[in-house]
């Protein structure tokens, strides 16, 4: 168990792990505090104003024309003959935990006389750079879960897609709102209804903090490791809170 990033693994696998425990670049206590102040999570069961809107074929065609007239790039939307449409969405990846990618090392054959080599499966964990964005070309009926799968494939991430969730981000009255999209929601449809403005609507990939974990599927050693990780995360969170309030208290005392 790493003391810096709480990564845990089997002791025999420790030599195979290449993990940067310095944390995501640019991360600081101040950033975490600002993020909590600016963003407000809303419930996935509460549909957005765009999700409630229904469009017929004529309205879809008109919306696409309006959308294409408002963008300053070549990321246009196109209407297909079957009534569907294609276009681009931009997704910002705001992951606070490291992701795993595959790494294969070729080792020599175990016995003489065997010319082939044996592949040893390994994983490398690292933090994605802060502010990483990706454009995806998708269909109008592409679901949010399929967007997550496509993003993970783009970055060759081998973690379970259920660990991640796609969020709808909007700004209103100097407040940032986040809403987790359901698996069957269609991001390109939301993009069309909201228009091209990133302030009105943007997409963010984050860790899926649902709490809906089947703990019975884990072994006792794994559960004990999870408890240790949770304890370390709790201690770190308390340390940051105490540091922030102590700093605020010091500034008040200096002002007095």
């Amino acid at each position: 168990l790493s003391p810096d990033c709480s990564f845990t693994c089997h002791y025999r696998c420790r030599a195979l792990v290449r993990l940067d425990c310095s944390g995501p670049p640019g991360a600081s206590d101040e950033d975490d505090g600002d993020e909590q102040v600016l963003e407000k999570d809303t419930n996935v069961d509460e549909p957005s104003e765009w999700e409630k809107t229904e469009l017929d074929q004529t309205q879809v065609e008109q919306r696409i024309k309006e959308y294409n007239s408002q963008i300053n790039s070549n990321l246009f939307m196109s209407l297909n003959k079957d009534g569907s449409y294609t276009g681009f969405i931009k997704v910002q990846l705001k992951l606070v935990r490291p992701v795993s990618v595959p790494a294969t090392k070729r080792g020599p054959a175990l016995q003489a006389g065997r010319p082939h080599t044996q592949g040893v499966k390994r994983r490398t964990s690292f933090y994605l750079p802060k502010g990483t964005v990706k454009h995806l070309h998708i269909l109008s009926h592409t679901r949010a879960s399929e967007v997550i799968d496509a993003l993970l494939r783009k970055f060759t991430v081998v973690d379970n897609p259920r660990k991640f969730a796609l969020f709808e981000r909007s700004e209103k009255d100097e407040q940032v709102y986040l809403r987790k999209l359901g698996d069957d929601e269609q991001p390109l449809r939301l993009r069309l209804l909201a228009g091209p403005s990133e302030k009105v609507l943007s997409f963010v990939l984050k860790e899926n903090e649902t709490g809906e974990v089947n703990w019975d599927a884990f072994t006792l050693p794994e559960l004990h490791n999870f408890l240790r990780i949770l304890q370390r995360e709790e201690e770190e969170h308390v340390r940051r809170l105490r540091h922030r309030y102590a700093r605020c208290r010091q500034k008040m005392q200096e002002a007095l």
Side-chain angles (χ1 to χ4, degrees):
L1 183 67
S2 168
D4 299 317
C5 65
S6 301
F7 179 83
T8 183
C9 71
H10 192 272
Y11 75 97
R12 292 180 179 175
C13 304
R14 184 171 54 186
L16 303 177
V17 176
R18 298 292 181 269
L19 184 64
D20 177 11
C21 296
S22 59
S28 65
D29 294 341
E30 295 182 1
D31 292 340
D32 293 340
D34 294 341
E35 192 80 3
Q36 295 298 325
V37 172
L38 290 176
E39 293 188 352
K40 176 181 178 182
D41 289 343
T42 56
N43 198 303
V44 66
D45 296 327
E46 299 175 1
S48 63
E49 55 181 299
W50 304 294
E51 186 64 17
K52 303 174 184 177
T53 305
E54 295 292 339
L55 301 177
D56 57 30
Q57 186 67 19
T58 303
Q59 291 173 322
V60 168
E61 185 175 359
Q62 181 61 31
R63 288 267 187 161
I64 291 177
K65 291 180 180 179
E66 294 176 359
Y67 182 94
N68 290 339
S69 66
Q70 296 174 27
I71 62 175
N72 298 320
S73 65
N74 59 349
L75 305 180
F76 299 108
M77 288 196 187
S78 302
L79 184 64
N80 301 322
K81 294 181 180 179
D82 60 359
S84 64
Y85 49 95
T86 59
F88 294 86
I89 62 169
K90 183 175 75 172
V91 182
Q92 182 181 10
L93 284 73
K94 297 180 65 175
L95 304 178
V96 298
R97 296 172 184 166
V99 295
S100 299
V101 297
T104 303
K105 180 179 180 180
R106 293 290 178 177
L110 296 178
Q111 298 180 8
R114 293 187 178 181
H116 65 277
T117 58
Q118 182 181 19
V120 180
K121 292 184 178 180
R122 301 187 180 189
R123 287 188 177 188
T124 301
S125 297
F126 68 98
Y127 288 95
L128 283 173
K130 187 176 181 180
T132 299
V133 296
K134 189 67 178 178
H135 286 87
L136 293 177
H137 188 248
I138 61 175
L139 294 164
S140 55
H141 53 74
T142 301
R143 298 177 294 123
S145 59
E146 295 172 326
V147 169
I148 296 174
D149 291 339
L151 286 170
L152 298 184
R153 287 196 302 270
K154 289 284 186 180
F155 291 95
T156 64
V157 175
V158 296
D159 293 313
N160 192 324
R162 303 300 299 177
K163 292 182 179 180
F164 308 93
L166 192 65
F167 285 80
E168 167 192 291
R169 181 183 184 277
S170 58
E171 299 181 23
K172 185 178 181 181
D173 299 328
E174 299 183 354
Q175 179 72 54
V176 176
Y177 294 88
L178 285 177
R179 183 182 72 90
K180 189 176 74 172
L181 299 184
D183 288 343
D184 294 328
E185 291 193 56
Q186 301 164 337
L188 189 61
R189 178 177 178 274
L190 297 176
R191 177 81 279 164
L192 175 63
L193 292 172
S197 173
E198 290 291 320
K199 288 188 176 182
V200 177
L201 172 71
S202 60
F203 296 108
V204 181
L205 184 73
K206 301 180 67 175
E207 281 86 1
N208 187 14
E209 304 291 355
T210 63
E212 300 172 359
V213 179
N214 181 17
W215 297 113
D216 294 333
F218 294 93
T219 64
L220 284 177
E222 289 175 327
L223 291 174
H224 283 302
N225 280 336
F226 291 152
L227 287 175
R228 294 171 64 189
I229 291 172
L230 287 176
Q231 181 180 355
R232 288 183 179 273
E233 288 183 351
E234 180 183 5
E235 292 172 353
E236 177 64 18
H237 187 61
V238 170
R239 185 194 67 80
R240 291 187 180 186
L241 284 176
R242 287 177 176 171
H243 176 73
R244 190 172 67 182
Y245 280 101
R247 187 171 51 189
C248 183
R249 189 179 297 109
Q250 180 184 359
K251 290 181 179 180
M252 289 182 180
Q253 290 174 347
E254 291 174 355
L256 290 173

